[in-house]
Amino acid sequence: MNTERDTEQQSTPRVALVTGGTGGIGRAVVERFAADGYAVAVHYAGNQARADELVERITAAGGQAIAVGGDVADEAAMAAAFDAAEAAFGGIDVVVNTAGIMILGPVARFDLDDLDRMHRTNIRGSFVVAQQAARRVRPGGAIIGFSTSQTRLQHPTYAPYAASKAAVEALTLVLARELRGKGVTVNAVAPGPTATPLFLDGKDQQTVDTLARLAPLERLGTPDDVAETVAFLAGPARWVNGQTVYVNGGIA
C-alpha cells in the first residue's frame, strides 16, 4: 500500500539544473529532461532571450521550466541560480554542467590569456557548479560533468582544452567518493566529435568530413546522442558512479 508520502513523491517531478542549457548539447539535455517529465532550470551565461524562448516552449507544452543566469565560475552567481531552482521547484535532484568553452592552438604559440579564460570556465566553473551540487542535490540524485574524448584522442592543438577537461575527470571520482552515504552519483560524459556550433566553429568541410569518418559508425555524434547518455546517468544508472563515459561512437 502506498503511503501519502510515496504518492507525493510519485506526483512530484524530479528537478534538474542544466548549465549551458541554451548551447547545442545543453539544449538537447534540457529538451530530453523536459520530455521525461523533469522540471528544469535552464541556465544561460549571456543570452537570456534564448533561455526564455526554450522555457516558453517547454511550459507551452505543459512542462515546468525557469531560466537562471550567471557566470559558472562566479560562486555568488551560481549560488543564486541554485537558490532560484530550489525556490521554484522545492529542491534539486540532478545537476548537469555542460557549460564550457573551447579554444584550440599549439602549445608553443598558445595565448596564455586564452588559457586563463578557458580554464576559468572549464576548471573553476566545473568546480563551482560541483561544489553547489554537492551541497544541494537530494538523495537519489545525480551530478554530471562534461569532459571530452580529446583526453584520449589527444589530437594536436587540443592540449589546452583537453587539459581543462582532464581536470573534470579528476574531480568526478573524488567527488563521488566524498559523497559516500548520500545516495548521489557523480559521473562525467566525454563526447567525441559532435555536430554543435562549438565543435563546428572554424572548421572547414574537409576537416569535418575527416572527423566524421573516425568513428566506426562513420558520422558525427549529435546532441541527442549525448543527451540520451545524460538521461541514463541522471535516472536509471544508479550503479554507475565515479565514471567518465566516452560517448563517441567507438573512436576511443
Side-chain angles (χ1 to χ4, degrees), residues 78-80 82-84 86 91-92 131-138:
M78 284 302 95
F82 276 73
D83 286 345
E86 289 178 332
I92 300 173
Q131 185 176 69
Q132 288 293 324
R135 294 170 177 172
R136 302 188 191 227
V137 168
R138 296 184 287 203

Side-chain angles (χ1 to χ4, degrees), residues 48-206:
Q48 183 175 351
R50 289 179 63 184
D52 288 342
E53 177 272 328
L54 182 54
V55 166
E56 183 178 349
R57 194 150 62 83
I58 290 170
T59 55
Q64 299 182 60
I66 62 168
V68 296
D71 176 1
V72 290
D74 182 331
E75 62 271 33
M78 284 302 95
F82 276 73
D83 286 345
E86 289 178 332
F89 302 125
I92 300 173
D93 301 292
V94 177
V95 173
V96 183
N97 183 31
T98 76
I101 60 175
M102 180 171 64
I103 305 171
L104 305 182
V107 171
R109 299 192 300 275
F110 201 80
D111 186 291
L112 294 182
D113 288 339
D114 285 342
L115 182 73
D116 290 343
R117 181 163 64 91
M118 181 164 57
H119 284 199
R120 184 177 189 278
T121 296
N122 294 0
I123 298 178
R124 180 184 169 90
S126 292
F127 194 93
V128 168
V129 173
Q131 185 176 69
Q132 288 293 324
R135 294 170 177 172
R136 302 188 191 227
V137 168
R138 296 184 287 203
I143 301 169
I144 302 167
F146 264 72
S147 179
T148 172
S149 289
Q150 282 295 338
T151 59
R152 288 186 176 181
L153 295 171
Q154 300 173 352
H155 288 147
T157 75
Y158 279 87
Y161 176 67
S164 73
K165 291 301 190 175
V168 175
E169 297 187 16
L171 173 63
T172 297
L173 180 55
V174 174
L175 182 56
R177 289 172 171 168
E178 289 181 353
L179 294 183
R180 173 184 293 273
K182 295 185 179 296
V184 174
T185 61
V186 185
N187 292 289
V189 175
T194 306
T196 67
L198 177 68
F199 171 78
L200 296 172
D201 183 40
K203 295 181 175 70
D204 59 31
Q205 190 59 49
Q206 182 178 357

Side-chain angles (χ1 to χ4, degrees), residues 13-64:
R14 281 165 67 83
V15 178
L17 188 156
V18 181
T19 70
T22 63
I25 290 174
R27 186 182 184 95
V29 170
V30 167
E31 291 173 341
R32 175 59 185 263
F33 280 155
D36 288 347
Y38 283 67
V40 189
V42 182
H43 165 267
Y44 64 92
N47 194 330
Q48 183 175 351
R50 289 179 63 184
D52 288 342
E53 177 272 328
L54 182 54
V55 166
E56 183 178 349
R57 194 150 62 83
I58 290 170
T59 55
Q64 299 182 60

